[in-house]
Amino acid sequence: MKIVFVHNGYESLGIEYLSASLKAAGHETGLVIDPCLFDEAGFWRSAFLARRFSYREEVLRKVEALKPDLAGFSVFADTYSWALDLAREIKKRTGTKIVFGGIHPSSVPDAVIAEDCVDFICLGEGDSALPALAAFIVGGGPLPAGVWAKQGGAVIKGPPPSPPPDLDALPFPDKKLFSGAAPVFSVGYLISSSRGCPHSCAYCCNSVYRELYRRSGVPCLRRRGPENVLLELEGALKTGGPGFVHFTDEVFNSDPAWLKKFLPLYKARVGVPFSCFAFPDGRLAGEAAALAAAGCFKVQLGVQRFDEARRADLLGRRAANADIAAAIKALKDAGIYVTCDNILDLPDESEAELAALAAFYAANTPDHNEVFFLRLYPGTPLAARCPGREAAPGGLMRPAGYSPLAPARQRAFFTLLTLLPRLPAFTRRFFAARPWLFSFAGGPGLRVISRIFSRARRDFHTGRFLRLYAHFIFAKLRGNG
Ligand code: B12
Ligand code: SF4
């Protein structure tokens, strides 16, 4: 059977894993990329440029030419409208069966399966479910675990999903799928040494997955053995050698014993510079030197807000500011570039808390600040606490009005926090105390510019973002879209 995935301009490890499992089961897979230029899901959009550089027709023509038996979409809330639009048109032109998987169908399955163009949905990880669905389409039988189907207008549901308990038993992700689609995907190597997270923050998909897998008996957090990760990376080195590696693990430092064992082996057998996400717990500062020695050049930390009690109560994150400050210092002292994530527009935030956050960063300055406005994703405990106020699918990054502060005030803090690491050190305390000076600008454009000036070369996603735009804009201008 031929399964073609249609995806946006970001490499998806999920699709690469699915493709590998499908190929292992004897199926053929393909990928059609819609770069979604100037139409960045959940982030920003320029309607004029998005129309000028639209690849919609090219995508539809490619899918038609490939004649798939099944077209697959990996969907989250912000890409849902885009996926529905293409799925409807693909169905109209080809009659191909359509399957949606990923966090959005896993969070709101009833709404997604109700869509006219969606024949199947997959809840949770699809490594076994998708090959089983392909077998079901060909040969019938019982519906696989984690799959829902529409038959004759009725929805039938397979047994609840059960995620793969042993990640070492999975085939390595099919990297050729993306690198074959556009050269930009060969820059750097995206890998995960785990799935799931030990934490359950109230705004994050992991609380949704934990609930989904509750009855399966398989823990939400699973980690590959060091040997399995090293074998994958050694294989990648043999076929060209990526300039750097990015670990997409939710929390790369969640298992200190694993980290201690893995880092020296990585240094000896792979030795390529890498970046990762880490949780700023009490151990991270002590792990900084070992991370740097193994080649870690960038760590991204979630800080999210300043008030520790509210951080724990509203966001479900237990992290101490003293540990965060120690981690920022130790990582920077070890020569690691530090990025901190922050969320504004929280329903219980105050001017005093944002001012305290700015003062905290003036004293403990990371190399880069990512500032987001809260989006309440369906199925999360935080969305349940604010009924009727979920993020609209396809929305953009702007204050939704959860905070008692005026949007203009939040934008001033957005600009201040984004720019703070770029300001000369001796001026930071002065500016942190005067957020009104930053009422002039802001918005996602500033975030893009700040990222570009913050060593784009070393930032996995910004580097790819720039290359992707260059590749697809020139292709369009040359008429080779
Ligand atoms: C890496 C990552 C990114 C990367 C790459 C994203 C990409 N397009 O692939 C970057 C940094 C670019 C990114 C950006 C954003 N991201 Co992001 N990202 C993640 C993260 C941390 C890991 C994804 C991953 O690789 N998982 C590992 C693989 C193996 O799992 P998987 O992708 O889920 O796939 C498995 C299953 O879901 C299933 N499956 C998936 N697709 C399909 C399809 C079919 C047909 C089937 C059958 C099954 C199936 O099977 C797969 C294999 O088991 C997730 C959190 C998470 N744990 O999922 C957030 C997450 C997906 N991101 C999120 C968001 C909001 C964003 C941004 C909008 C943030 C922003 N404002 O800038 C942007 C949007 C970018 C874009 N336009 O795509 C949210 C989505 C929330 C929601 N409910 O919709 C998540 C869930 C984090 C969260 N807040 O909870 N992201
Ligand atoms: S630590 Fe990060 S990945 Fe884990 S639950 Fe919290 S927000 Fe999600």
Side-chain angles (χ1 to χ4, degrees), residues 188-193 225-237 241-247 249 252 258-276 290-298 460:
Y189 193 89
L190 204 62
I191 185 169
S192 188
S193 69
E227 191 57 29
N228 184 263
V229 180
L230 293 165
L231 281 176
E232 181 188 336
L233 289 170
E234 283 173 335
L237 287 179
F244 56 95
V245 168
H246 177 59
F247 286 94
D249 300 61
F252 191 58
W258 183 93
L259 198 65
K260 201 168 166 201
K261 189 168 171 198
F262 178 75
L263 290 176
L265 292 171
Y266 177 92
K267 172 77 186 157
R269 289 170 55 183
V270 182
V272 172
F274 72 92
S275 51
C276 62
L291 282 163
C296 178
F297 65 85
K298 179 185 165 191
F460 191 89

Short mmCIF file of all heavy atoms in Angstrom, two decimals, residues 188-193 225-237 241-247 249 252 258-276 290-298 460:
data_model
loop_
_atom_site.label_atom_id
_atom_site.label_comp_id
_atom_site.label_asym_id
_atom_site.label_seq_id
_atom_site.Cartn_x
_atom_site.Cartn_y
_atom_site.Cartn_z
N GLY A 188 21.89 19.60 9.96
CA GLY A 188 21.66 19.22 11.35
C GLY A 188 20.86 17.92 11.43
O GLY A 188 20.26 17.48 10.46
N TYR A 189 20.90 17.30 12.60
CA TYR A 189 20.24 16.00 12.76
C TYR A 189 19.31 16.06 13.97
O TYR A 189 19.73 16.31 15.10
CB TYR A 189 21.28 14.91 12.97
CG TYR A 189 20.73 13.51 12.83
CD1 TYR A 189 20.69 12.88 11.59
CD2 TYR A 189 20.24 12.84 13.94
CE1 TYR A 189 20.17 11.59 11.47
CE2 TYR A 189 19.72 11.55 13.82
CZ TYR A 189 19.69 10.94 12.57
OH TYR A 189 19.17 9.67 12.44
N LEU A 190 18.01 15.85 13.71
CA LEU A 190 16.98 15.88 14.76
C LEU A 190 16.80 14.49 15.32
O LEU A 190 16.57 13.54 14.57
CB LEU A 190 15.68 16.33 14.08
CG LEU A 190 14.57 16.98 14.86
CD1 LEU A 190 15.05 18.29 15.47
CD2 LEU A 190 13.39 17.25 13.93
N ILE A 191 16.91 14.35 16.63
CA ILE A 191 16.81 13.01 17.24
C ILE A 191 16.15 13.14 18.62
O ILE A 191 16.21 14.19 19.24
CB ILE A 191 18.22 12.38 17.39
CG1 ILE A 191 18.11 10.94 17.90
CG2 ILE A 191 19.14 13.20 18.27
CD1 ILE A 191 19.42 10.15 17.81
N SER A 192 15.52 12.06 19.06
CA SER A 192 14.98 12.04 20.42
C SER A 192 15.45 10.78 21.11
O SER A 192 15.37 9.69 20.55
CB SER A 192 13.46 12.10 20.38
OG SER A 192 12.98 12.28 21.69
N SER A 193 15.93 10.93 22.36
CA SER A 193 16.36 9.75 23.10
C SER A 193 15.26 9.26 24.03
O SER A 193 15.46 8.32 24.78
CB SER A 193 17.63 10.07 23.90
OG SER A 193 17.32 10.96 24.95
N GLY A 225 17.88 3.19 25.29
CA GLY A 225 19.18 2.90 25.89
C GLY A 225 20.24 3.75 25.20
O GLY A 225 20.11 4.07 24.01
N PRO A 226 21.33 4.10 25.91
CA PRO A 226 22.38 4.91 25.28
C PRO A 226 22.89 4.26 24.00
O PRO A 226 23.12 4.95 22.99
CB PRO A 226 23.48 4.95 26.35
CG PRO A 226 22.79 4.71 27.64
CD PRO A 226 21.60 3.85 27.34
N GLU A 227 23.03 2.93 23.99
CA GLU A 227 23.59 2.23 22.83
C GLU A 227 22.71 2.43 21.59
O GLU A 227 23.21 2.66 20.49
CB GLU A 227 23.72 0.73 23.18
CG GLU A 227 24.52 -0.08 22.19
CD GLU A 227 25.94 0.45 21.98
OE1 GLU A 227 26.52 1.06 22.89
OE2 GLU A 227 26.46 0.27 20.85
N ASN A 228 21.39 2.35 21.80
CA ASN A 228 20.46 2.49 20.69
C ASN A 228 20.56 3.90 20.07
O ASN A 228 20.57 4.06 18.85
CB ASN A 228 19.04 2.21 21.22
CG ASN A 228 18.00 2.22 20.13
OD1 ASN A 228 17.34 3.22 19.92
ND2 ASN A 228 17.87 1.11 19.41
N VAL A 229 20.68 4.92 20.92
CA VAL A 229 20.80 6.31 20.43
C VAL A 229 22.12 6.47 19.68
O VAL A 229 22.18 7.06 18.59
CB VAL A 229 20.73 7.30 21.62
CG1 VAL A 229 20.84 8.74 21.14
CG2 VAL A 229 19.44 7.12 22.41
N LEU A 230 23.18 5.91 20.26
CA LEU A 230 24.52 6.06 19.63
C LEU A 230 24.56 5.35 18.28
O LEU A 230 25.14 5.85 17.32
CB LEU A 230 25.59 5.49 20.57
CG LEU A 230 25.77 6.31 21.86
CD1 LEU A 230 26.55 5.53 22.90
CD2 LEU A 230 26.47 7.64 21.57
N LEU A 231 23.91 4.17 18.20
CA LEU A 231 23.89 3.45 16.91
C LEU A 231 23.22 4.27 15.83
O LEU A 231 23.68 4.34 14.69
CB LEU A 231 23.17 2.10 17.07
CG LEU A 231 23.98 0.98 17.71
CD1 LEU A 231 23.12 -0.26 17.90
CD2 LEU A 231 25.22 0.66 16.85
N GLU A 232 22.11 4.93 16.20
CA GLU A 232 21.43 5.77 15.20
C GLU A 232 22.35 6.90 14.74
O GLU A 232 22.47 7.17 13.54
CB GLU A 232 20.13 6.35 15.77
CG GLU A 232 19.39 7.19 14.73
CD GLU A 232 18.18 7.96 15.24
OE1 GLU A 232 17.58 7.56 16.26
OE2 GLU A 232 17.84 8.98 14.60
N LEU A 233 23.00 7.56 15.70
CA LEU A 233 23.86 8.70 15.35
C LEU A 233 25.09 8.26 14.57
O LEU A 233 25.53 8.93 13.64
CB LEU A 233 24.24 9.46 16.61
CG LEU A 233 23.08 10.25 17.23
CD1 LEU A 233 23.44 10.78 18.61
CD2 LEU A 233 22.66 11.41 16.32
N GLU A 234 25.67 7.10 14.94
CA GLU A 234 26.83 6.60 14.19
C GLU A 234 26.43 6.31 12.75
O GLU A 234 27.18 6.57 11.81
CB GLU A 234 27.40 5.36 14.87
CG GLU A 234 28.21 5.73 16.10
CD GLU A 234 28.66 4.52 16.92
OE1 GLU A 234 28.00 3.45 16.83
OE2 GLU A 234 29.65 4.63 17.65
N GLY A 235 25.21 5.80 12.57
CA GLY A 235 24.69 5.54 11.21
C GLY A 235 24.59 6.85 10.44
O GLY A 235 24.94 6.93 9.26
N ALA A 236 24.12 7.91 11.11
CA ALA A 236 23.99 9.21 10.45
C ALA A 236 25.36 9.76 10.06
O ALA A 236 25.53 10.36 9.00
CB ALA A 236 23.28 10.19 11.38
N LEU A 237 26.36 9.53 10.93
CA LEU A 237 27.72 10.02 10.64
C LEU A 237 28.27 9.35 9.39
O LEU A 237 28.98 9.96 8.59
CB LEU A 237 28.65 9.76 11.82
CG LEU A 237 28.46 10.65 13.05
CD1 LEU A 237 29.42 10.25 14.14
CD2 LEU A 237 28.66 12.12 12.69
N GLY A 241 27.33 12.84 7.74
CA GLY A 241 27.80 13.55 8.92
C GLY A 241 27.15 14.89 9.11
O GLY A 241 27.51 15.88 8.47
N PRO A 242 26.14 14.96 10.00
CA PRO A 242 25.50 16.25 10.26
C PRO A 242 26.46 17.17 11.00
O PRO A 242 27.28 16.71 11.80
CB PRO A 242 24.31 15.87 11.16
CG PRO A 242 24.71 14.58 11.82
CD PRO A 242 25.63 13.88 10.86
N GLY A 243 26.35 18.49 10.75
CA GLY A 243 27.23 19.46 11.42
C GLY A 243 26.90 19.58 12.89
O GLY A 243 27.74 19.94 13.70
N PHE A 244 25.64 19.33 13.26
CA PHE A 244 25.24 19.38 14.66
C PHE A 244 23.98 18.54 14.86
O PHE A 244 23.30 18.18 13.90
CB PHE A 244 25.03 20.82 15.14
CG PHE A 244 24.03 21.59 14.33
CD1 PHE A 244 22.70 21.68 14.72
CD2 PHE A 244 24.41 22.25 13.17
CE1 PHE A 244 21.78 22.40 13.98
CE2 PHE A 244 23.50 22.96 12.41
CZ PHE A 244 22.19 23.04 12.81
N VAL A 245 23.72 18.26 16.13
CA VAL A 245 22.60 17.38 16.49
C VAL A 245 21.68 18.16 17.42
O VAL A 245 22.15 18.93 18.26
CB VAL A 245 23.16 16.12 17.23
CG1 VAL A 245 22.05 15.32 17.89
CG2 VAL A 245 23.96 15.25 16.26
N HIS A 246 20.36 17.99 17.24
CA HIS A 246 19.42 18.59 18.17
C HIS A 246 18.55 17.51 18.80
O HIS A 246 17.87 16.77 18.09
CB HIS A 246 18.54 19.63 17.45
CG HIS A 246 17.50 20.24 18.34
ND1 HIS A 246 17.81 20.92 19.49
CD2 HIS A 246 16.14 20.26 18.27
CE1 HIS A 246 16.71 21.34 20.08
NE2 HIS A 246 15.68 20.93 19.35
N PHE A 247 18.63 17.39 20.13
CA PHE A 247 17.80 16.43 20.86
C PHE A 247 16.45 17.07 21.14
O PHE A 247 16.39 18.09 21.84
CB PHE A 247 18.47 16.01 22.17
CG PHE A 247 19.63 15.08 21.96
CD1 PHE A 247 20.93 15.57 21.88
CD2 PHE A 247 19.42 13.71 21.84
CE1 PHE A 247 21.99 14.71 21.68
CE2 PHE A 247 20.50 12.85 21.65
CZ PHE A 247 21.78 13.34 21.56
N ASP A 249 14.07 15.71 22.87
CA ASP A 249 13.50 15.19 24.12
C ASP A 249 12.84 16.32 24.89
O ASP A 249 13.40 17.41 25.00
CB ASP A 249 14.59 14.63 25.03
CG ASP A 249 15.36 13.50 24.39
OD1 ASP A 249 15.99 13.75 23.35
OD2 ASP A 249 15.32 12.40 24.93
N PHE A 252 15.82 16.59 28.40
CA PHE A 252 17.00 15.76 28.13
C PHE A 252 17.66 15.30 29.42
O PHE A 252 18.30 14.25 29.46
CB PHE A 252 17.99 16.58 27.27
CG PHE A 252 19.12 15.78 26.70
CD1 PHE A 252 18.88 14.69 25.89
CD2 PHE A 252 20.44 16.14 26.97
CE1 PHE A 252 19.92 13.95 25.34
CE2 PHE A 252 21.49 15.40 26.43
CZ PHE A 252 21.23 14.30 25.62
N TRP A 258 21.20 8.11 33.46
CA TRP A 258 21.30 7.91 32.00
C TRP A 258 22.24 8.95 31.40
O TRP A 258 23.11 8.63 30.59
CB TRP A 258 19.89 8.03 31.38
CG TRP A 258 19.86 7.77 29.90
CD1 TRP A 258 19.60 6.58 29.28
CD2 TRP A 258 20.09 8.74 28.85
NE1 TRP A 258 19.65 6.75 27.91
CE2 TRP A 258 19.95 8.06 27.62
CE3 TRP A 258 20.38 10.10 28.83
CZ2 TRP A 258 20.11 8.69 26.38
CZ3 TRP A 258 20.55 10.73 27.59
CH2 TRP A 258 20.41 10.03 26.39
N LEU A 259 22.04 10.22 31.84
CA LEU A 259 22.83 11.33 31.29
C LEU A 259 24.32 11.11 31.57
O LEU A 259 25.17 11.30 30.69
CB LEU A 259 22.36 12.64 31.92
CG LEU A 259 22.74 13.92 31.20
CD1 LEU A 259 22.06 14.00 29.84
CD2 LEU A 259 22.33 15.14 32.02
N LYS A 260 24.61 10.69 32.81
CA LYS A 260 26.00 10.48 33.22
C LYS A 260 26.66 9.41 32.37
O LYS A 260 27.84 9.52 32.00
CB LYS A 260 26.01 10.06 34.70
CG LYS A 260 27.30 10.29 35.38
CD LYS A 260 27.15 10.13 36.87
CE LYS A 260 28.55 10.04 37.46
NZ LYS A 260 28.58 9.43 38.73
N LYS A 261 25.89 8.37 32.04
CA LYS A 261 26.43 7.28 31.23
C LYS A 261 26.56 7.71 29.76
O LYS A 261 27.54 7.40 29.08
CB LYS A 261 25.46 6.09 31.35
CG LYS A 261 25.98 4.81 30.75
CD LYS A 261 25.10 3.66 31.18
CE LYS A 261 25.51 2.43 30.39
NZ LYS A 261 24.50 1.40 30.42
N PHE A 262 25.54 8.44 29.30
CA PHE A 262 25.45 8.75 27.86
C PHE A 262 26.48 9.78 27.40
O PHE A 262 27.11 9.61 26.35
CB PHE A 262 24.03 9.26 27.55
CG PHE A 262 23.84 9.66 26.11
CD1 PHE A 262 23.71 8.69 25.11
CD2 PHE A 262 23.81 11.00 25.73
CE1 PHE A 262 23.54 9.06 23.78
CE2 PHE A 262 23.64 11.37 24.40
CZ PHE A 262 23.51 10.39 23.43
N LEU A 263 26.66 10.85 28.20
CA LEU A 263 27.46 11.98 27.71
C LEU A 263 28.89 11.61 27.30
O LEU A 263 29.32 11.97 26.18
CB LEU A 263 27.45 13.13 28.73
CG LEU A 263 26.10 13.85 28.87
CD1 LEU A 263 26.15 14.91 29.98
CD2 LEU A 263 25.67 14.50 27.56
N PRO A 264 29.65 10.87 28.13
CA PRO A 264 31.02 10.53 27.68
C PRO A 264 31.02 9.62 26.45
O PRO A 264 31.89 9.75 25.59
CB PRO A 264 31.63 9.81 28.88
CG PRO A 264 30.63 9.83 29.97
CD PRO A 264 29.38 10.44 29.51
N LEU A 265 30.02 8.73 26.37
CA LEU A 265 29.94 7.85 25.19
C LEU A 265 29.66 8.66 23.93
O LEU A 265 30.21 8.43 22.86
CB LEU A 265 28.84 6.79 25.38
CG LEU A 265 29.11 5.73 26.46
CD1 LEU A 265 27.86 4.89 26.70
CD2 LEU A 265 30.28 4.84 26.04
N TYR A 266 28.76 9.64 24.08
CA TYR A 266 28.43 10.52 22.95
C TYR A 266 29.68 11.26 22.48
O TYR A 266 29.98 11.33 21.29
CB TYR A 266 27.34 11.51 23.36
CG TYR A 266 26.99 12.50 22.27
CD1 TYR A 266 25.97 12.24 21.37
CD2 TYR A 266 27.70 13.70 22.11
CE1 TYR A 266 25.65 13.13 20.34
CE2 TYR A 266 27.41 14.59 21.10
CZ TYR A 266 26.38 14.31 20.22
OH TYR A 266 26.10 15.19 19.21
N LYS A 267 30.41 11.80 23.45
CA LYS A 267 31.63 12.56 23.13
C LYS A 267 32.62 11.66 22.35
O LYS A 267 33.17 12.07 21.33
CB LYS A 267 32.26 13.04 24.45
CG LYS A 267 33.62 13.68 24.31
CD LYS A 267 33.49 15.07 23.79
CE LYS A 267 34.82 15.71 23.50
NZ LYS A 267 34.71 16.78 22.55
N ALA A 268 32.78 10.42 22.83
CA ALA A 268 33.77 9.53 22.23
C ALA A 268 33.33 9.00 20.87
O ALA A 268 34.13 8.89 19.95
CB ALA A 268 34.04 8.35 23.17
N ARG A 269 32.03 8.71 20.72
CA ARG A 269 31.60 8.00 19.50
C ARG A 269 30.90 8.89 18.47
O ARG A 269 30.79 8.53 17.31
CB ARG A 269 30.69 6.83 19.89
CG ARG A 269 31.51 5.73 20.58
CD ARG A 269 30.66 4.66 21.21
NE ARG A 269 29.71 4.02 20.32
CZ ARG A 269 28.83 3.09 20.71
NH1 ARG A 269 28.84 2.69 21.98
NH2 ARG A 269 28.00 2.56 19.86
N VAL A 270 30.39 10.03 18.90
CA VAL A 270 29.70 10.93 17.96
C VAL A 270 30.46 12.26 17.87
O VAL A 270 30.88 12.67 16.80
CB VAL A 270 28.22 11.15 18.37
CG1 VAL A 270 27.50 12.03 17.35
CG2 VAL A 270 27.50 9.81 18.51
N GLY A 271 30.61 12.92 19.01
CA GLY A 271 31.47 14.10 19.09
C GLY A 271 31.00 15.32 18.32
O GLY A 271 31.76 16.27 18.13
N VAL A 272 29.74 15.33 17.86
CA VAL A 272 29.23 16.46 17.08
C VAL A 272 28.54 17.43 18.06
O VAL A 272 27.83 16.98 18.96
CB VAL A 272 28.21 15.93 16.03
CG1 VAL A 272 27.51 17.06 15.32
CG2 VAL A 272 28.92 15.02 15.03
N PRO A 273 28.70 18.75 17.91
CA PRO A 273 28.03 19.69 18.82
C PRO A 273 26.51 19.45 18.86
O PRO A 273 25.92 19.12 17.83
CB PRO A 273 28.33 21.06 18.21
CG PRO A 273 29.49 20.85 17.31
CD PRO A 273 29.49 19.42 16.87
N PHE A 274 25.92 19.60 20.04
CA PHE A 274 24.48 19.35 20.14
C PHE A 274 23.77 20.37 21.01
O PHE A 274 24.39 21.04 21.85
CB PHE A 274 24.19 17.93 20.64
CG PHE A 274 24.49 17.69 22.10
CD1 PHE A 274 23.51 17.86 23.07
CD2 PHE A 274 25.76 17.28 22.51
CE1 PHE A 274 23.77 17.63 24.42
CE2 PHE A 274 26.04 17.06 23.86
CZ PHE A 274 25.05 17.24 24.82
N SER A 275 22.44 20.46 20.79
CA SER A 275 21.59 21.31 21.62
C SER A 275 20.46 20.45 22.18
O SER A 275 20.17 19.37 21.65
CB SER A 275 21.03 22.47 20.80
OG SER A 275 20.45 22.01 19.60
N CYS A 276 19.81 20.94 23.26
CA CYS A 276 18.74 20.15 23.90
C CYS A 276 17.86 21.05 24.77
O CYS A 276 18.19 22.21 25.02
CB CYS A 276 19.35 19.05 24.76
SG CYS A 276 20.37 19.68 26.12
N ALA A 290 29.49 18.65 32.51
CA ALA A 290 29.49 17.39 31.75
C ALA A 290 28.80 17.58 30.39
O ALA A 290 29.23 17.02 29.37
CB ALA A 290 28.79 16.30 32.55
N LEU A 291 27.73 18.39 30.37
CA LEU A 291 27.04 18.67 29.10
C LEU A 291 28.02 19.37 28.14
O LEU A 291 28.16 18.98 26.97
CB LEU A 291 25.82 19.55 29.34
CG LEU A 291 24.57 18.85 29.90
CD1 LEU A 291 23.59 19.87 30.48
CD2 LEU A 291 23.87 18.03 28.81
N ALA A 292 28.69 20.41 28.66
CA ALA A 292 29.62 21.16 27.81
C ALA A 292 30.75 20.27 27.32
O ALA A 292 31.13 20.31 26.14
CB ALA A 292 30.17 22.36 28.58
N ALA A 293 31.28 19.43 28.22
CA ALA A 293 32.41 18.56 27.83
C ALA A 293 32.01 17.61 26.72
O ALA A 293 32.82 17.23 25.87
CB ALA A 293 32.90 17.78 29.05
N ALA A 294 30.73 17.22 26.68
CA ALA A 294 30.27 16.29 25.65
C ALA A 294 29.97 17.00 24.33
O ALA A 294 29.69 16.34 23.33
CB ALA A 294 29.03 15.54 26.14
N GLY A 295 29.97 18.34 24.33
CA GLY A 295 29.75 19.06 23.07
C GLY A 295 28.46 19.86 23.05
O GLY A 295 28.07 20.38 22.00
N CYS A 296 27.77 19.95 24.19
CA CYS A 296 26.51 20.71 24.20
C CYS A 296 26.82 22.20 24.02
O CYS A 296 27.58 22.78 24.79
CB CYS A 296 25.78 20.47 25.52
SG CYS A 296 24.25 21.40 25.63
N PHE A 297 26.20 22.82 23.01
CA PHE A 297 26.47 24.25 22.80
C PHE A 297 25.27 25.11 23.14
O PHE A 297 25.36 26.32 23.25
CB PHE A 297 26.93 24.54 21.37
CG PHE A 297 25.89 24.26 20.31
CD1 PHE A 297 24.93 25.22 19.98
CD2 PHE A 297 25.87 23.05 19.64
CE1 PHE A 297 23.99 24.97 19.00
CE2 PHE A 297 24.91 22.79 18.67
CZ PHE A 297 23.97 23.74 18.35
N LYS A 298 24.07 24.46 23.28
CA LYS A 298 22.89 25.29 23.59
C LYS A 298 21.90 24.49 24.42
O LYS A 298 21.63 23.32 24.11
CB LYS A 298 22.23 25.73 22.28
CG LYS A 298 20.99 26.58 22.52
CD LYS A 298 20.28 26.92 21.23
CE LYS A 298 18.89 27.44 21.54
NZ LYS A 298 18.03 27.55 20.40
N PHE A 460 19.01 25.59 15.68
CA PHE A 460 18.54 24.57 14.74
C PHE A 460 17.37 25.07 13.90
O PHE A 460 17.40 25.05 12.68
CB PHE A 460 18.10 23.33 15.54
CG PHE A 460 17.85 22.13 14.69
CD1 PHE A 460 18.88 21.26 14.40
CD2 PHE A 460 16.59 21.88 14.18
CE1 PHE A 460 18.65 20.15 13.61
CE2 PHE A 460 16.36 20.77 13.39
CZ PHE A 460 17.40 19.91 13.11
#
